[in-house]
Amino acid sequence: AQGRPTAVFTAQPGDAQRLLDEIAFFAPELQCVVFPDWETLPYDTFSPHQDLISERLATLWRIARHGQEHGADLVLVPAATALYRLAPASFLAGYTFHFKVHQKLDETRLRAQLTLAGYSHVSQVVSPGEYAVRGSLIDLYPMGSAVPYRVDLFDDEIDSIRTFDPDNQRSLYPVPEVRLLPGREFPMDEPARARFRSRWRELLDGDPTKSRIYKDMGAGVATAGIEYYLPLFFEETATVFDYLGPDATLVLHGDLDAAIGRFWQDTRDRHRLLLMLDEFPAL
């Protein structure tokens, strides 16, 4: 009512989704979003599902637009999810770009931007974070979008933008513009990869050349599970509280102390296990 963003921190991820459904019934005028968990465990050797990354980036973008169109009035955040460090807001702003119908578009530059933003070049677009180029047609599946888009170029001008069905690849309805969020929650350009390797050498013990993650980063490969090394990409990271701002109203739902305690205990246990596996590979 005061025009301030509100965040509800829940003990369990399931509570956040349940509240989202209930609030939509009692207050349908509110713009509510869930900031989802990665649904992987700390130090896992596989990455979160691309749809979850897409939803997280879209939620951060909407939090930053509070009070504006497509912003977020109320954000539901599982307690353990709120503990993770995030990319600073400047990263999201710097790697998000828009284009509209009848706008001039340099295909070569667009492909470079997409690669820099972490999008994957594929033969057929089916998932968020992918793009394909077929002659004058460019198919894009922006992160945070419910549908992919087909951009039709006439020379160097955007002639039309239409959504399409990723299952049958058929065009659907026209739209006036497209917003492209970053393809990942961290940058993969050369300066960021150099910073990653420098901070790795500074903060982690052992010979870095024996680490698969370190070597993959030198080759420009985002290794599965790289999300848990996000702080190495940035000089300074952020938290969800930085995105919400100092005027946000915070609501606690459930036994957060117990949930956070279990998370930290599980994290410590998994870290000790990894150290043992490093020392005794035969295990």
Side-chain angles (χ1 to χ4, degrees):
Q2 297 173 348
R4 297 164 57 181
T6 300
V8 180
F9 295 88
T10 66
Q12 302 298 330
D15 294 336
Q17 187 59 51
R18 177 177 56 80
L19 286 172
L20 180 70
D21 298 335
E22 293 175 351
I23 291 168
F25 175 80
F26 288 104
E29 73 281 0
L30 287 179
Q31 298 187 87
C32 302
V33 292
V34 172
F35 186 54
D37 193 75
W38 277 334
E39 296 185 5
T40 56
L41 296 173
Y43 307 110
D44 268 347
T45 55
F46 50 89
S47 291
H49 194 281
Q50 192 73 349
D51 288 347
L52 288 173
I53 299 295
S54 175
E55 187 179 348
R56 284 168 61 90
L57 288 165
T59 300
L60 291 175
W61 183 80
R62 292 187 65 182
I63 293 173
R65 291 179 57 86
H66 170 71
Q68 305 176 49
E69 186 180 7
H70 305 305
D73 300 317
L74 189 146
V75 186
L76 300 155
V77 188
T81 306
L83 301 179
Y84 287 104
R85 307 298 298 188
L86 303 172
S90 58
F91 163 74
L92 203 61
Y95 284 79
T96 298
F97 52 99
H98 302 73
F99 49 84
K100 303 179 180 181
V101 174
H102 303 313
Q103 176 182 326
K104 296 289 185 181
L105 185 67
D106 185 321
E107 180 190 323
T108 303
R109 183 181 178 189
L110 175 63
R111 294 178 69 158
Q113 284 181 308
L114 289 169
T115 301
L116 192 64
Y119 282 72
S120 301
H121 182 245
V122 296
S123 59
Q124 182 171 298
V125 169
V126 294
S127 300
E130 297 178 341
Y131 77 96
V133 179
R134 300 191 312 279
S136 63
L137 295 179
I138 302 174
D139 288 350
L140 303 163
Y141 206 144
M143 299 296 280
S145 174
V147 292
Y149 298 92
R150 179 160 291 149
V151 179
D152 190 358
L153 297 178
F154 181 75
D155 196 13
D156 62 348
E157 181 178 296
I158 298 176
D159 187 52
S160 67
I161 304 174
R162 302 181 68 87
T163 62
F164 69 91
D165 187 329
D167 293 329
N168 57 32
Q169 297 292 301
R170 291 180 180 175
S171 296
L172 299 174
Y173 53 87
V175 294
E177 64 180 339
V178 172
R179 180 192 76 242
L180 283 170
L181 294 171
R184 300 186 180 94
E185 294 186 47
F186 52 87
M188 277 292 287
D189 54 17
E190 183 57 40
R193 291 190 286 115
R195 187 182 306 116
F196 179 98
R197 295 197 295 167
S198 174
R199 289 174 62 79
W200 181 290
R201 294 191 299 269
E202 174 188 345
L203 298 173
L204 302 180
D205 297 330
D207 183 358
T209 61
K210 294 182 179 179
S211 167
R212 176 176 56 87
I213 295 174
Y214 183 88
K215 290 188 291 186
D216 282 351
M217 191 53 56
V221 177
T223 308
I226 194 65
E227 287 76 13
Y228 287 100
Y229 296 84
L230 180 145
L232 298 183
F233 287 100
F234 303 100
E235 293 296 337
E236 292 185 2
T237 54
T239 68
V240 69
F241 302 99
D242 295 312
Y243 281 86
L244 290 167
D247 296 329
T249 299
L250 308 183
V251 181
L252 309 184
H253 180 277
D255 190 352
L256 269 64
D257 287 344
I260 291 171
R262 287 193 298 272
F263 172 84
W264 281 119
Q265 185 59 51
D266 290 345
T267 302
R268 284 192 291 266
D269 291 344
R270 289 178 64 82
H271 185 246
R272 282 196 291 267
L273 177 61
L274 283 175
L275 292 177
M276 290 177 58
L277 292 174
D278 284 343
E279 189 172 354
F280 304 104
L283 294 175

